[in-house]
Amino acid sequence: MKVITAPDEYTKKDSDICCFLAGGISNCHNWQSEVIQILKSMELGGVNIENLVIFNPRRKNFPINDNNAAEQQIEWEYRLLEQSDIFSIYFSSGSEQPICMYEL
């Protein structure tokens, strides 16, 4: 399993199965890391997920003072959503998530 985190680039291989982790980031706990850990534990259970590629839009440090960062993030997410075979979506209660609705 490979995890691609924004804004890292990725070129899809025919054998890859790509999963985009769509859902809230702002004012949400790091649910993406929980999903990644669950998927990693599946490897130990005998499930072969060698060709699974996870697209994680949550950055460790989003450059909030960079005026181009939001546009770069949106473009990254759009490109990788287009390459995804499947996606996981998370809606958090108590947080506005307009981008989640677009991703869905």
Side-chain angles (χ1 to χ4, degrees):
M1 182 174 80
K2 185 174 186 173
V3 178
I4 307 296
T5 304
D8 294 343
E9 292 301 323
Y10 168 78
T11 302
K12 188 171 184 177
K13 298 174 187 165
D14 289 340
S15 60
D16 289 345
I17 299 168
C18 299
C19 176
F20 190 93
L21 300 182
I25 294 177
S26 299
N27 301 317
C28 296
H29 74 285
N30 190 348
W31 62 270
Q32 293 92 343
S33 67
E34 294 173 11
V35 171
I36 291 167
Q37 288 306 313
I38 289 168
L39 291 170
K40 283 183 179 178
S41 72
M42 289 176 66
E43 282 186 303
L44 301 175
V47 177
N48 183 359
I49 57 171
E50 180 179 309
N51 296 335
L52 181 61
V53 180
I54 303 295
F55 300 141
N56 183 4
R58 184 184 291 265
R59 300 182 188 202
K60 287 184 182 182
N61 297 301
F62 187 84
I64 198 71
N65 294 321
D66 179 352
N67 293 334
N68 297 319
E71 182 177 342
Q72 179 189 40
Q73 181 78 19
I74 292 166
E75 290 174 357
W76 182 90
E77 291 183 19
Y78 182 78
R79 275 193 314 278
L80 292 163
L81 272 167
E82 288 291 312
Q83 293 185 53
S84 296
D85 300 299
I86 55 177
F87 70 95
S88 169
I89 190 158
Y90 175 82
F91 289 96
S92 174
S93 63
S95 174
E96 291 186 28
Q97 300 172 37
I99 300 300
C100 288
M101 295 306 292
Y102 170 73
E103 291 170 337
L104 180 60

